[in-house]
Amino acid sequence: MIRTHRPRSKSEPTIALINIVFLMLIFFLVAGQVAQPLGESLTLVRTADLDSAAAPSDALVVTPDGALSLRGTALASPEAFLAALDTPPSEVRIVPDRDLPAEDLVALARALRRGGAEKVIVVTERGLE
């Protein structure tokens, strides 16, 4: 008797593709960074009903003792912050520490408005409900 070979159907290499995509996903989750950290000791103010927005790289970071920084560089005053920006700002974002006294935050916002900022935005952490 002569045996005839049936043609085998080729299996698709989907398992290999899934493995590669999964490994790439894990790599980018571990190696990728969505935004630069604002500071190790900074804890943001929490609010429950704020539109979701990420803190931009040109935000003024304020520590609990009132020290100002931009992109990790210490600044002496709100005027120095406005001078350090590339373009004159129509709106300025402040990222305050939650332990910063409210009086200091209001005084800082007023100084930025006097310096030419039309709008001052306080960036906070969205509260979990």
Side-chain angles (χ1 to χ4, degrees), residues 53-126:
S57 63
D58 60 347
L60 177 62
V61 177
V62 187
T63 60
D65 60 353
L68 308 175
S69 66
L70 173 66
R71 299 181 197 110
T73 305
L75 298 171
S77 66
E79 294 77 19
F81 166 71
L82 294 170
L85 295 176
D86 298 331
T87 60
S90 61
E91 65 180 40
V92 173
R93 296 185 190 274
I94 303 174
V95 182
D97 189 282
R98 81 175 58 184
D99 295 329
L100 178 72
E103 300 86 24
D104 295 349
L105 182 60
V106 171
L108 176 61
R110 286 185 180 147
L112 290 170
R113 293 284 305 247
R114 280 193 306 271
E118 296 173 16
K119 188 176 183 182
V120 177
I121 299 169
V122 178
V123 178
T124 64
E125 179 180 58
R126 177 174 266 197

